[in-house]
Amino acid sequence: LRRGANKQLLNIIKKTHMADLSIVFENLTPPNQEKLFKLLDNPDDIGLLFSHLSEKTFVEFVKIVDFDKLVTVFDHMASDDAAELLGCLDEELSDKILSKMKKEESYNVEQIMSYEEDTAGSLMVKDYVALEEDVKAREVIEALQNKYLDVEMPFYIYVIDNYGKLVGVSSLRQLVLESPDKPLKSFMATDIVSVKPYTDRDVVARLVSRYDFLAIPVVDDDNRIIGIVTVDDVIDILHETATEDMLKMAGVGEDYVETQSLLKGTRIRLPWLFASCLGGIANFFIIGRFESTLAQLTGLAAFIPIIMGMGGNIGTQSATIVVRGIATGRVNIRDFVKIISRELGVGFILGVTYGGLIAAVAKFSFMAEPFSWALSVVVGGSILSSMTVAAFVGTAVPLIFHRLNIDPAVATGPFVTTTMDLISVYCYFTITRLLLGF
Amino acid sequence: LRRGANKQLLNIIKKTHMADLSIVFENLTPPNQEKLFKLLDNPDDIGLLFSHLSEKTFVEFVKIVDFDKLVTVFDHMASDDAAELLGCLDEELSDKILSKMKKEESYNVEQIMSYEEDTAGSLMVKDYVALEEDVKAREVIEALQNKYLDVEMPFYIYVIDNYGKLVGVSSLRQLVLESPDKPLKSFMATDIVSVKPYTDRDVVARLVSRYDFLAIPVVDDDNRIIGIVTVDDVIDILHETATEDMLKMAGVGEDYVETQSLLKGTRIRLPWLFASCLGGIANFFIIGRFESTLAQLTGLAAFIPIIMGMGGNIGTQSATIVVRGIATGRVNIRDFVKIISRELGVGFILGVTYGGLIAAVAKFSFMAEPFSWALSVVVGGSILSSMTVAAFVGTAVPLIFHRLNIDPAVATGPFVTTTMDLISVYCYFTITRLLLGF
């Protein structure tokens, strides 16, 4: 790019997929980005390039770019991609672009932008094929060759009745196989799975992956088709929701923290650690209340980490199983009692195993002391109760959150581990005081 | 089903998608499963039903089913699905089925079964369209109508040369749009992205989702096409790998623990907790070594939970960001130094913030004591060092594991949290001894 060997460059660019070019683009200086941009003349390609750029690069780049060329690019983009990109820009600029775009395109984009984020409406494209039920197979192919030239994914042909209502679906594959004179209604499938524009994107993803669809139609409340969500968007949804769930579980917010900015990374993580900090302070005061107990047997403090650790780990295990089970549909809220009792059972068995093991360690470490038997019972009992309670809490909280329509992934974050730390320590000292009488 | 009202039932079944019927099927008693099975006569449908069943139900059901009908079903199934299901059965039975299947089908299935699990080879289907470059658009459509009737997803037409090598790709959509007399080579795309049969499934998923493909061709070392992996399999891969990563991070093995069996759930989780248990015992001995320090100031014990908790949480945050970043391709191993120094920075800033906060709590709680200033420095310094070290370890370990080709998700499991617990506690008491002189 530096030498300005444009012709060779152009050849290379033509052979490069825009998804790959976007990585090169990200690493160029703004003047070079502009040079590269000038070399590209196919608005479809540029649109594809834009949709692969990071939000930051795109917003910066748009400022220095030729406005008319920008409008042309947006005119050629799939309406869901255009809506997403325009949503990143400040309102003034996006309004300016929309006002210059072709009427039909800008109408579609504005409609998509009007739906809430993370709903089917915000993800759908307007490029679908919808024909009436009397249209013959041959006519459908003709329509594809003329009217629907720019449809991105014409794999399904949606069939509508006189009122525009969705009544059936056929596929490009079926069209090729049927005799040319048959009307759509004679071979279309009538068991249609559709979603509403306000359907949550997770539901859309679940339906598409469940039935192995390439696209799913979005219909309004009168069952008129208004768009489709395609399988490539579903793949993006799956990536994003899995990332979100993991980040929430670790308490790092929802959005992936960009690796560039130090301060932003700190700011996002700060509040989540506050829960853990408050819990720690609470724990400090609980232990403070038992200072006289500790003073009589300093060795008691040495068991604090193991009791906290075992409870925390088993709680995280249970919560992860339940959260992921809910997300993939393997855990059903109707089995509430069954799931809880099973996890309680697992917690109890594991608690007996490890409680016994650590009780033995306690017994041998304090062999010389007269209270070594009592101490081992205290330690073993604390491990057992803390693991059982942690398994219960780790299972119950996400299930209850799910029922209350709160995202269960939040439930395994620092809040729950902190709660379990508190319970563990409290159980431990209470049992100590009861059994050892300090 | 109980009343034997077969006709109505059959009507309902015909209207039900097999993905939904599989849920009903799971909850039926074996005799009723058999009755339902007898009602189904389309082997394609039954194949679809089988592929939606859980492994357990399928293995049980196969035992009671009519063998010849079973063979017919497997003959009609997509070869990747058939290979997966046969892999669940014991070898004797699967060999018996394979030997009765049609030669061509069983050859395909056996080939797929010969590839290692989680590679492109084990996921591919043999149902693809591959034609030579001189074939004309019209002839392609004719071939689709005759020869390739049972191809599941003929959205791409792969183009091969005289030696069978993959040289181009066209789409069903393009075919419909091109004039009927043009040969494939005049309009095919030549920038083909393909994978080898031994390519890891994660790589396949990344390519398909990056380029928004509906399928990706699998070629042998001579660039001859031997199968395709379709987008619906990629969706399954994404689901599974996200689940696996989460379970590994929580230390619950790799495979989703079925919610049915108490003992199996316990057995899978037991070894992972052992790491945590060993770490706890090590911590017990570390604290034991500092017993004289603790005896002089019992209040020191009260800070153990908060120091462990803050370190553990920030470590989990860093590890999750890195693990998920690696999985989605946002974190690049080449940026090793940059990522580590950034996370160290975040750890330090957060450490100063929370260290200061908790130091203040320490100062006020022990206000009356002469050493309250020193103690607050000890506590604050311990929090700072533990959080900085934890951020470093949480970032570095998954990156190093990734470079060593060990799955980084394992790195955030109990192993790392336990290590961080040990480091936190050790730092705390060492700093105490140094500064307070106990």
Side-chain angles (χ1 to χ4, degrees), chain B residues 131-201:
Chain B
L131 294 163
E132 300 206 356
E133 39 190 352
D134 296 322
V135 177
K136 296 194 177 99
R138 190 197 316 112
E139 294 165 342
V140 178
I141 293 183
E142 277 163 18
L144 287 177
Q145 287 171 328
N146 304 309
K147 190 174 158 203
Y148 291 110
L149 257 174
D150 56 347
V151 168
E152 205 185 336
M153 278 208 188
F155 300 113
Y156 296 118
I157 288 95
Y158 297 100
V159 187
I160 51 179
D161 66 10
N162 296 333
Y163 306 101
K165 296 192 184 194
L166 183 64
V167 291
V169 60
S170 181
S171 64
L172 194 50
R173 180 196 166 197
Q174 206 168 13
L175 267 185
V176 173
L177 304 181
E178 292 291 338
S179 103
D181 284 324
K182 276 195 179 170
L184 276 171
K185 68 175 163 195
S186 69
F187 58 85
M188 71 186 183
T190 51
D191 52 335
I192 316 161
V193 181
S194 62
V195 294
K196 305 281 180 199
Y198 43 79
T199 305
D200 189 82
R201 63 173 185 170

Side-chain angles (χ1 to χ4, degrees), chain B residues 74-262:
Chain B
F74 274 100
D75 269 339
H76 281 80
M77 268 173 109
S79 24
D80 62 332
D81 290 342
E84 201 190 329
L85 287 177
L86 286 173
C88 303
L89 300 177
D90 59 58
E91 219 170 305
E92 199 187 334
L93 184 57
S94 79
D95 284 349
K96 209 171 132 197
I97 295 173
L98 279 168
S99 69
K100 292 277 178 176
M101 279 169 69
K102 284 184 199 149
K103 266 250 170 69
E104 201 197 317
E105 285 297 327
S106 68
Y107 172 77
N108 287 342
V109 173
E110 274 175 345
Q111 198 191 344
I112 291 168
M113 285 175 84
S114 73
Y115 293 110
E116 254 179 277
E117 224 185 316
D118 297 346
T119 61
S122 72
L123 292 164
M124 68 188 187
V125 289
K126 302 297 252 168
D127 309 334
Y128 56 86
V129 181
L131 294 163
E132 300 206 356
E133 39 190 352
D134 296 322
V135 177
K136 296 194 177 99
R138 190 197 316 112
E139 294 165 342
V140 178
I141 293 183
E142 277 163 18
L144 287 177
Q145 287 171 328
N146 304 309
K147 190 174 158 203
Y148 291 110
L149 257 174
D150 56 347
V151 168
E152 205 185 336
M153 278 208 188
F155 300 113
Y156 296 118
I157 288 95
Y158 297 100
V159 187
I160 51 179
D161 66 10
N162 296 333
Y163 306 101
K165 296 192 184 194
L166 183 64
V167 291
V169 60
S170 181
S171 64
L172 194 50
R173 180 196 166 197
Q174 206 168 13
L175 267 185
V176 173
L177 304 181
E178 292 291 338
S179 103
D181 284 324
K182 276 195 179 170
L184 276 171
K185 68 175 163 195
S186 69
F187 58 85
M188 71 186 183
T190 51
D191 52 335
I192 316 161
V193 181
S194 62
V195 294
K196 305 281 180 199
Y198 43 79
T199 305
D200 189 82
R201 63 173 185 170
D202 293 342
V203 178
V204 177
R206 219 170 294 145
L207 288 172
V208 170
S209 58
R210 164 156 209 182
Y211 299 112
D212 294 343
F213 289 148
L214 295 173
I216 192 166
V218 184
V219 296
D220 65 14
D221 288 324
D222 294 326
N223 199 27
R224 275 188 301 248
I225 182 166
I226 53 174
I228 59 170
V229 178
T230 52
V231 70
D232 53 312
D233 289 322
V234 168
I235 287 182
D236 294 342
I237 297 171
L238 288 177
H239 264 305
E240 276 173 35
T241 51
T243 304
E244 270 179 25
D245 278 0
M246 286 193 209
L247 294 180
K248 278 186 214 150
M249 282 199 230
V252 211
E254 287 198 11
D255 293 317
Y256 192 83
V257 191
E258 291 290 329
T259 35
Q260 286 94 324
S261 150
L262 177 68

Side-chain angles (χ1 to χ4, degrees), chain A residues 297 299 303 358-377 379, chain B residues 284-285 291:
Chain A
L297 180 56
F303 290 105
I358 294 155
V361 172
K363 169 76 185 126
F364 285 108
S365 304
F366 292 85
M367 194 101 85
E369 311 284 344
F371 52 75
S372 70
W373 272 115
L375 182 70
S376 73
V377 172
V379 172
Chain B
F284 165 73
F285 285 112
E291 219 186 312

Side-chain angles (χ1 to χ4, degrees), chain A residues 19-20 23 145 149 173 176 210-211 243 251 256 259 269-270 276 313 317-318 321 324-325 342-343 354, chain B residues 20 23 145 149 173 176 210-211 243 251 256 259 269-270 276 313 317-318 321 324-325 342-343 354:
Chain A
D20 299 322
I23 297 172
Q145 286 169 328
L149 258 173
R173 180 196 166 196
V176 173
R210 166 157 207 181
Y211 297 114
T243 304
Y256 191 82
T259 36
R269 286 157 73 169
L270 192 83
S276 160
N313 275 326
Q317 286 187 339
S318 300
I321 291 177
R324 192 60 193 158
R342 183 183 159 272
E343 285 296 312
Y354 284 109
Chain B
D20 299 323
I23 298 172
Q145 287 171 328
L149 257 174
R173 180 196 166 197
V176 173
R210 164 156 209 182
Y211 299 112
T243 304
Y256 192 83
T259 35
R269 287 158 72 170
L270 192 81
S276 160
N313 275 324
Q317 286 187 339
S318 300
I321 291 177
R324 191 60 192 160
R342 184 182 160 274
E343 285 295 314
Y354 284 110

